[in-house]
Amino acid sequence: MTSSMLFSIITFIYFLSMFLYLCYFAFRSRVMGVVASSVTISGLVIHTTAFFLRWVESYRIGAGHAPMSNMYESLVFFAWCIVLIYLILEIKYKARTMGVFVTPFAFLSMAYASLSPNVSDRIEPLIPALQSNWLIGHVLTCFLGYAGFAVSCGVSVMYLIRIRTEGKYSSGSGFVSYLPNSKLLDDLSYKSIAMGFFMLTLGIVTGAAWANSAWGTYWSWDPKETWSLITWFVYAAFLHARVTRGWRGKGAAVLSIFGFIAVLFTYFGVSYLLSGLHSYA
Amino acid sequence: MAKNRDMDEKIKKRKESSRNPGLMKGVFKQVRDFFASPRVTVPLLILLAVTSIIGTLIEQNLSEEKYLRHFGISVYHIFRVLGFFDVYHSVWYICLFLLLTINLLTCSFKRFPGTWKTFFHTSRELDEVLIRALPYKKSVTKRGLPEAFSEDCKGILARYFAKPVETHQVDGGLHLYSERGRFSRLGVYFAHLGIIVIFIGALIGSIFGFKGYVNIVEGESVGSISLRGDSSPFELGFQVRCDDFSVSYYPGKNSVKGIPKEYKSVLTVIEGGRNILQKDVRVNHPLRYRGFSFYQSDYGTATWGKGSLLLQVTPRGNEEEKRDYSVELGGDFRIEGTPYTVRFTRLVPDFLMDANGRVTSRSLKMNNPAALLTLLRKETPLYSTWVFRNFSDFHGKGDGDYQFTFVDFKSKEYTFLQVTKDPGVWVVWSGCAFLICGVLSVFFFSHRRVWVRIIGKEEKTHITLAGTTSKNRGSFEHKFEELKEAIETLCQNVVHNKQTK
């Protein structure tokens, strides 16, 4: 059993958990919810195993390195971060309906990695520029940041759905009333952005430190760098809007979704549409 | 709260405008107040985000022709005036950063006195005014003297929260105050200070730092480098020698074989004629010396002709005595144990003899390299002969005493190094450290404070518990409940004990 096969299986597991969360949401069945959570947890366990298996495999072909070095590996790692953060929040806040809005991100990331013809699942040896102790720290912090923003985006979508109907129906009727209340959603969105922002800050700083040891300059306005800074500005604006303007609720939710669009552009747009130093991933 | 602040500002402004200073002063003040307001921060950040996009869509710092070809003359001129070809160094972009810095500084200065007060001068006594202001409170009244409860209350605070500070009042009341995470109040200042320190570091780098590059052929040394955008060489004040350059490839199975694994230059720093240090410079592992950093960036084959010829010399009729020698173009060597010297006089990469019998080269590629050797005896040339790499059986002049075999010509490589000096880089790193610590304490720590007042009155004791948190109410509420329950049960126990007596 190779790690690539395991990752394909995980793609289906995440599809299944997405489906199960949806059933839980639609039929409001507690059993379904427990099943959905268990499937997701086992998915994460297999995912973690496969991650380390791929690490071992890379040593076997003589190119040992942490599996964080190309598009395929980063997508897989992105999904792992999303599921990890989601499960922590689900357990802590007992907000299982979040799964409906968050697991799709993990599934899409895995599906894109496994199915897209542009993304090769081959283990590639590290080119000299990537051979650095900063690799793990930089990728780990960036993707935990991205995943935090993905979770926040999902929660913000929930929020927008929730407030549209909050006034209309009396509590206890309709799907939507099954969503956590808007105050909790707003708070969860803020919490995942705060975590994401901290991680993104660490990611940018570790990236600068790495650039300084590889290229001799900590900041060169390369498109990836610039877009990570743009993302940082957007979320900094979000956080300041909350404090100085009392922006909560709808405005904050919209800004959080915009922030995630910037994240997606930093991740995919720059790699595919713009050229620059980060051409490998 | 934000609304209140706005109201205050409006009132202040109205008062100020009624004083009616000079018009210019008024405008200046308005502009200053505008940029000093925290309401500007968000639009500034959004503006920075949006304008930063420009430089990622238009490739920066290309040649004029490329832009002209791509945009046409009119668009080119507009974009050039707007600085779109070098957005991140344009005046308006730097101004945006400057405005952000001003905004950040003024807002911090405005807020800091308040923070200072809570940081150092929080009231340790729970009076009625404070109770009214605090969001979390609970009062319990029980029979018994205050002394019966005070030790236990202290214990509860210490156990569930933090060791309290005691204040005894003249009227006999006891006030306990404990707090956690006070430092987090300063987090926001640390984060903002970090950003300013990063800017200062970047400024130092752009004024006192520079970027350059240098080519060093293996075996040679340089004492100066070329700077970007400057034609005159820059003297380093020391010498750098490249002892060796090599590329190594991944071994192992087919899929990874042949992919470069490492580019390595062995560099030696020479100062005052002495070798100071030697280092293997690889990608991600630069050489740092006297504030200069040398980065492995590229490599290539040196101008051809530089390199060494590997030659095998066999005395005629004595195969046993053959020996290998290495010689550079124009150099010579003595055949061991003889008075004969061999000189390497000429190298032709792609040997061709034209109709007139002149030797030329068909191309510059090493397709058919040939070397012209001269045999000398005590500085007197005896004869010259060509040897060929591709025709090793041809040993030159047939009747000579020695057979020469062209084994290989190893071209010298050069290493291409980026050289930078940036005295601001440590300032930038300390700014980053401030920023990270600041962000960490802003988001993951909160200043939580709890007061307990114990007052005895006519055989009864009034215990008041009150608290507040700078943020993260949810987890504080949980903690407060814990304290509340502990104090309530404690009181019951005390009362119960009394009754059993």
Side-chain angles (χ1 to χ4, degrees), chain A residues 126 129 131 210 216 227 245, chain B residues 39 56 88 250 261 284 295:
Chain A
L126 290 184
Q131 293 167 23
W210 188 359
W227 268 97
R245 308 192 138 196
Chain B
R39 297 179 66 81
T56 66
Y88 309 113
Y250 278 97
K261 185 181 184 184
N284 281 313
Y295 299 86

